Amino acid sequence: MSMILSPHREDASQRGWQYRLHIDVPLLITLVAVSALGLIVLYSAGGGDIELVERQLVRLGIAYTCMLVVAQFPPRLLQRLTPWLFVTGILFLLAVLVGGEASGGAQRWLNLYVVRFQPSEMMKLAVPMMVAWYLADTRLPPNRRQLLAAAILIAVPMLMIARQPDLGTALLIASSGIFVVFLAGLQWRLLAFFSVLVAAAAPLIWHFMRDYQRQRVMTLLNPESDPLGSGYHIIQSKIAIGSGGLFGKGWMNGTQSQLNFLPERSTDFIFAVLGEEFGFFGILLLFAFYTIIVIRGIMISIQAQDTYTRLLAGSVAMTFCVYFIVNTGMVTGVLPVVGLPLPMISYGGTSIVTLMAGFGILMSIQTHRKLLPT
Amino acid sequence: MLGRVHLKDHLFETRLITNRAILLLVAGGLLLSILLVRLLYLQVVSHEHYTTLSEDNRVKLQPLPPNRGLIFDRNGILLAENMPSYRLEITPEQVDDMGATLGALEDIIEIRNTDRSRFEKLLARKPRFEAVPLRFHLNDEEVARFSVNRHRFPGVDITAGLARHYPQGPLAVHALGYVGRIDEKALKVLDSSNYRGTSHVGKNGIEKTYEDLLHGKVGLQQVETTAQGRIIRVLKRTPPVSGSNLYLTIDSHVQKAAEQAFADFSGSAIAMDPNNGDILAFVSKPTYDPNPFVNGIDYDAYAALRNNDKEPLFNRALRGQYPPGSTVKPFMGLAGLETGITSEHSKTYCPGFYMLPGKDRKYRDWKRTGHGTVDLNSAITQSCDVYFYDLAQSMGIDRIHDYLQHFGFGKAAGIDIQGELPGLLPSKEWKRSRRDQPWFPGETIITGIGQGFFLVTPIQLAVATAALANGGQMLKPQIVHAEQEAESDELQPHHPQVLETLTIGEQQHWDMVIHAMTDVVHGARGTARSIGKDSPYMIAGKTGTAQVFGLKEEEKYDADAIAEKLRDHALFIAFAPLDDPKIAVAVIVENGGGGGSVAAPIARTIMDAYLGKPTP
């Protein structure tokens, strides 16, 4: 077939154990490095609580296992399962809206008696898979009718999740779908048109936002307006990061973190702990790891052998990129507080399992490629 | 589009996706660079600014309030102390469900509605990470009960502090006063830097007058704290200087005896050492317990005190102004002798009334049948009014005023407690300037027996009596005997102060008056002979009865028929022992009736308590 254009060709002799185990070594090494850095920061953020670190280790263990299991699934199988996964996800979301469990003011959980389960997590993967599945069978770039169909596939789960309300996840899911459409060759003028549309709809979105969400936007614009209320988080995290300087105050020595000035410091605001204790260079190290992960994901996308896997791999990689940029943007005070954790570093959450399952997909795509004749 | 077969152009699609993927990577890189610029701004450009903010967060300057000075009586008995006091605080940030927490707390600790409303007010005002007090003064049992249940209440804590306590309760409350929470009014007057961290301030009495001495000097410490304000370590510390201790001139034993002697009567008694002006007892009855005021008395209890007819909150010793009645007679007699208007042997006939020449109005004597012919001695001993009507008439109001003012009447005695009133010693000048009225001759007559405009405070009366006892020295009454700086063994005494020494024309005149006062107590016809009979020491005294309202010429005073509120005040002044006076006393019993029967026994009890005879 059209053999030619994968950037480099694989040779049977190069294939070793990593292919048999379906592991992408560069990705795995980088992920382990980020996890290790994360545990070090978490130990400090928890005030030296080793139990916290142990619980996180267990969670990481589950997540890595999940990644390796997903990596064993051939992409063909994933592709075949995609519509079922998506439909199941939508049904779960419906169930959540009807009878889900509330926690912290939002209805996100579904109690399946065996496990408490957040269907929105599932949709983080199901949505890009579905859009990729749909577009893979069409001729690219998609025409308007196909775009409309893709838009519906994205908008329905997104709105359902936004209603829970879980704005951060909804935006993340929307962007993962949009990345697929963009990779599929969304025309520039249509992109421009949609951007204008979104900008025009901003007042409407404002109207539908809950009070606390509006408050967060207002806080971003002027955190000092309410220094002890909603602006407190941002002010304290800026102080933590700013006072860290180039080299940081040293591990376990961050006064903002250790003396409890920094709220949510082991979860959503853990980036500020890193910034305070390890400084600008510590952040650079983390960003370097993140960048390697994203670049590796894009490389896998480019090397993939069919449209579905290309679109999906590109979307997974870019969604991860958005994920950490949104969190760090919020902690440094350039984006509103949307309640997304710092991927791989923040304590807790089922999101890490989804995240690693996504990397499992990347590994599957990379290691199930057919040998191409030289 | 139906029916058309789209052939996928794989080469094109691969290129398209690859290009798009690279574009996305570039876009991600751009976003990342924006973030890096932001981080450089925070961590390099504004680094110093944020370091300062972080230090400000971490290091707090914390005031260390000084311990308030203690107050003792002259014998070292504790009157005001600082007791450990526990209060219950809640940090709202750490409490998930405030309503449930309060409800559960109520089961183990009493929370009154006033506590709750104050708590809610503070809750709305303070930041969520700052502890808000819910209850003050937990008792040991409550502390224990909470400690056992502490694990159930995250965010709820007990903190210890010192609170003012008056171990003797109501004893001498009008002299001591009390402390209360600093309110906005007090804040304006106080030195705010020295009162950082201080919650209470003297509200009246000695606690207020000696506030500066008692309070001490605030200390400071630099501490590293958590966001919740929990102190991690102390970086630097300037210790506070405790307030000075005060030793009062009051003798608790005498004070207690005096307060008990009043039983249910309202009134006031001052006992003073005529040698140095020390106030030995400072009584204003009824009394009240100052302890509830320390942390804010609740509304009902305060209303009960306020609306009480007997006005326990009124400081009678300092601010009660009464007609001196017949207690003024020794001073009048001395005035007559020293000004030469009368002499030892000049006599007046008392028919039971006195009339101004050419006028019809009869000024009645308390004894309707009259005392017959009286000289100064018998006029004082039997308290003949007519003699003094005549004397006053002969002297004229201005000469009375000029002489009596040397005894301190009409101006504050100058005791070291704030709020003293001056009483009133009338004169023509006073009436013209204050009332814009001329002086009438009849007003002179009744001034002679301590009625009319004439008003004295119990302190003035005691100081004047002491001056009779010590041969004319007007002493500044003082209630603080000595002060003691914090952590010092040395007492710094307050020295007696002589405000004025009266010029004695002839010693014999003084002797005569004092002799007559001795006869009041020890003479066969003395009005206070009931207290003299069994006295182991000699007393010089004078009874008085002050009319609360005027009787018409022909009306007869009938105590039983008159409402208690309108009954006469009973007065008695005395000093003892006669040959070496150690105590001078002034007693006023409101609506007590007779000076000899009601006021004199109280004075005797006070003198007995001080001079060593145990009270029965």
Side-chain angles (χ1 to χ4, degrees), chain B residues 272-443:
Chain B
M272 181 167 157
D273 185 334
N275 302 300
N276 52 22
D278 283 1
I279 299 292
L280 304 169
F282 186 100
V283 179
S284 174
K285 287 281 284 187
T287 57
Y288 60 94
D289 185 0
N291 286 308
F293 284 87
V294 173
N295 274 306
I297 187 164
D298 67 77
Y299 183 79
D300 292 342
Y302 185 63
L305 282 173
R306 263 228 103 112
N307 301 335
N308 188 327
D309 283 346
K310 295 194 161 185
E311 300 181 73
L313 296 176
F314 180 43
N315 194 334
R316 291 168 163 82
L318 210 57
R319 303 176 65 83
Q321 302 186 104
Y322 304 89
S326 303
T327 56
V328 84
K329 284 172 184 168
F331 304 100
M332 280 296 296
L334 196 57
L337 291 169
E338 293 273 277
T339 52
I341 305 291
T342 185
S343 67
E344 186 178 353
H345 303 295
S346 47
K347 292 190 168 63
T348 301
Y349 178 72
C350 169
F353 61 87
Y354 179 80
M355 283 169 79
L356 277 172
K359 295 269 168 60
D360 291 340
R361 186 160 178 3
K362 277 184 179 168
Y363 294 90
R364 299 189 311 108
D365 195 283
W366 64 270
K367 195 171 177 186
R368 292 182 68 82
T369 52
H371 294 91
T373 305
V374 289
D375 60 4
L376 182 59
N377 185 291
S378 47
I380 290 178
T381 311
Q382 302 172 31
S383 201
C384 169
D385 290 338
V386 172
Y387 182 92
F388 288 97
Y389 289 147
D390 188 41
L391 178 60
Q393 164 64 11
S394 312
M395 273 184 87
I397 186 62
D398 283 339
R399 267 197 286 188
I400 295 173
H401 172 268
D402 290 349
Y403 192 81
L404 289 189
Q405 73 176 358
H406 292 299
F407 277 97
F409 296 116
K411 62 172 187 281
I415 190 172
D416 41 350
I417 301 179
Q418 287 175 19
E420 194 189 345
L421 288 182
L424 177 58
L425 180 61
S427 66
K428 281 183 186 162
E429 167 59 26
W430 164 80
K431 202 173 175 203
R432 204 168 33 240
S433 63
R434 288 303 175 86
R435 299 250 170 135
D436 200 20
Q437 280 170 0
W439 186 265
F440 298 110
E443 289 162 355

Side-chain angles (χ1 to χ4, degrees), chain B residues 19-87:
Chain B
N19 287 342
R20 286 293 171 100
I22 290 169
L23 269 176
L24 280 178
L25 205 55
V26 171
L30 273 175
L31 287 178
L32 196 63
S33 343
I34 294 175
L35 262 180
L36 286 174
V37 169
R38 172 68 173 175
L39 284 163
L40 281 173
Y41 170 75
L42 289 176
Q43 299 194 292
V44 179
V45 180
S46 312
H47 175 56
E48 266 179 52
H49 170 65
Y50 285 115
T51 302
T52 312
L53 289 181
S54 145
E55 281 298 294
D56 286 353
N57 258 349
R58 176 176 79 98
V59 177
K60 293 209 170 74
L61 210 53
Q62 208 178 43
L64 298 170
N67 290 340
R68 199 173 174 85
L70 307 178
I71 304 178
F72 301 93
D73 87 339
R74 69 184 299 122
N75 301 317
I77 291 172
L78 204 51
L79 298 178
E81 63 183 331
N82 305 311
M83 295 257 287
S85 145
Y86 298 96
R87 62 183 196 172

Side-chain angles (χ1 to χ4, degrees), chain B residues 127-391:
Chain B
R128 291 190 35 80
F129 56 83
E130 218 166 88
V132 181
L134 174 63
R135 257 290 309 276
F136 297 94
H137 281 298
L138 300 178
N139 59 35
D140 290 348
E141 202 190 319
E142 286 173 319
V143 171
R145 253 199 316 251
F146 176 79
S147 302
V148 170
N149 288 290
R150 172 174 249 137
H151 62 277
R152 286 170 49 204
F153 300 103
V156 184
D157 252 315
I158 285 183
T159 58
L162 289 176
R164 199 64 155 174
H165 179 244
Y166 303 99
Q168 311 284 340
L171 189 77
V173 61
H174 291 99
L176 267 179
Y178 52 78
V179 298
R181 304 197 152 271
I182 296 178
D183 52 24
E184 265 152 48
K185 206 173 81 192
L187 263 181
K188 279 183 204 146
V189 194
L190 296 171
D191 168 8
S192 55
S193 69
N194 199 26
Y195 277 79
R196 296 207 316 184
T198 301
S199 57
H200 286 71
V201 66
K203 292 286 186 182
N204 52 34
I206 290 158
E207 291 273 32
K208 181 178 184 183
T209 309
Y210 284 91
E211 174 64 29
D212 289 348
L213 269 175
L214 287 166
H215 178 266
K217 260 197 78 185
V218 71
L220 281 177
Q221 63 178 7
Q222 266 189 2
V223 291
E224 184 177 284
T225 66
T226 66
Q228 287 74 36
R230 195 159 54 82
I231 296 171
I232 302 294
R233 61 199 160 116
V234 177
L235 305 172
K236 215 167 112 192
R237 189 182 146 99
T238 318
V241 180
S242 298
S244 299
N245 297 335
L246 293 183
Y247 287 80
L248 302 191
T249 56
I250 284 185
D251 184 321
S252 308
H253 171 62
V254 179
Q255 177 80 21
K256 204 174 289 176
E259 289 186 12
Q260 280 167 3
F262 269 85
D264 285 339
F265 281 115
S266 302
S268 172
I270 298 286
M272 181 167 157
D273 185 334
N275 302 300
N276 52 22
D278 283 1
I279 299 292
L280 304 169
F282 186 100
V283 179
S284 174
K285 287 281 284 187
T287 57
Y288 60 94
D289 185 0
N291 286 308
F293 284 87
V294 173
N295 274 306
I297 187 164
D298 67 77
Y299 183 79
D300 292 342
Y302 185 63
L305 282 173
R306 263 228 103 112
N307 301 335
N308 188 327
D309 283 346
K310 295 194 161 185
E311 300 181 73
L313 296 176
F314 180 43
N315 194 334
R316 291 168 163 82
L318 210 57
R319 303 176 65 83
Q321 302 186 104
Y322 304 89
S326 303
T327 56
V328 84
K329 284 172 184 168
F331 304 100
M332 280 296 296
L334 196 57
L337 291 169
E338 293 273 277
T339 52
I341 305 291
T342 185
S343 67
E344 186 178 353
H345 303 295
S346 47
K347 292 190 168 63
T348 301
Y349 178 72
C350 169
F353 61 87
Y354 179 80
M355 283 169 79
L356 277 172
K359 295 269 168 60
D360 291 340
R361 186 160 178 3
K362 277 184 179 168
Y363 294 90
R364 299 189 311 108
D365 195 283
W366 64 270
K367 195 171 177 186
R368 292 182 68 82
T369 52
H371 294 91
T373 305
V374 289
D375 60 4
L376 182 59
N377 185 291
S378 47
I380 290 178
T381 311
Q382 302 172 31
S383 201
C384 169
D385 290 338
V386 172
Y387 182 92
F388 288 97
Y389 289 147
D390 188 41
L391 178 60

Side-chain angles (χ1 to χ4, degrees), chain B residues 540-558:
Chain B
K542 181 67 193 84
T543 57
T545 304
Q547 282 178 6
V548 175
F549 79 123
L551 288 172
K552 293 220 185 76
E553 218 174 318
E554 292 304 322
E555 258 178 334
K556 198 167 169 270
Y557 178 81
D558 179 359

